[in-house]
Amino acid sequence: GQLVESGGGSVQPGGSLKLSCAASGFTFDDYAIGWFRQAPGKEREAVSCISSSDGSTYYADSVKGRFTISSDNAKNTVYLQMDSLKPEDTAVYYCAADWSRPLRIFFYGKNIKYDYWGQGTQVTVSS
């Protein structure tokens, strides 16, 4: 199985982008799926995640109120709607999926070996 991200690009501050993370070769049943990002010279950080079982979500404080994660289990796809983008949102965004991982651990855990990672998609916010 694999995850494929799409939807990255370049936007001006205040703009919007919608990222997609599509799974192939497996279904999202009982998976935690989330988005991480890594900017040059910085550590990877968790952005948001969602449970395919009950739809519960987590968000980083830096994106609350601006980003919205959603899932379409029928399409095995998770989305990240990003509004009011800021230059500090510039990073490579990766999605990850992990079977049956408690969502809190998926989001806050360290040194977690996730089942699947996508290849990443670049988001650049600049005027």
Side-chain angles (χ1 to χ4, degrees):
Q2 62 177 347
L3 297 173
V4 178
E5 300 107 332
S6 60
S10 296
V11 294
Q12 293 185 340
S16 297
L17 284 173
K18 186 174 184 177
L19 305 183
S20 298
C21 172
S24 64
F26 70 102
T27 62
F28 276 157
D29 295 340
D30 295 323
Y31 271 82
I33 310 106
W35 291 93
F36 298 80
R37 66 186 181 187
Q38 188 164 21
K42 294 188 176 181
E43 292 188 355
R44 187 184 71 197
E45 63 172 339
V47 176
S48 182
C49 62
I50 188 167
S51 167
S52 67
S53 299
D54 62 13
S56 54
T57 60
Y58 278 83
Y59 292 94
D61 289 343
S62 59
V63 307
K64 280 180 183 175
R66 300 188 298 121
F67 290 11
T68 304
I69 192 169
S70 62
S71 67
D72 185 336
N73 289 351
K75 294 182 178 181
N76 280 329
T77 302
V78 168
Y79 305 96
L80 186 68
Q81 177 67 45
M82 305 186 294
D83 298 317
S84 301
L85 282 161
K86 304 175 180 180
E88 50 264 43
D89 295 318
T90 296
V92 178
Y93 284 70
Y94 300 89
C95 69
D98 206 47
W99 184 74
S100 200
R101 180 80 64 182
L103 205 61
R104 182 175 179 83
I105 295 176
F106 181 98
F107 191 78
Y108 292 109
K110 303 298 182 185
N111 301 315
I112 301 293
K113 187 180 182 299
Y114 298 96
D115 292 333
Y116 300 100
W117 279 101
Q119 81 286 356
T121 185
Q122 176 69 46
V123 171
T124 302
V125 185
S126 173
S127 56

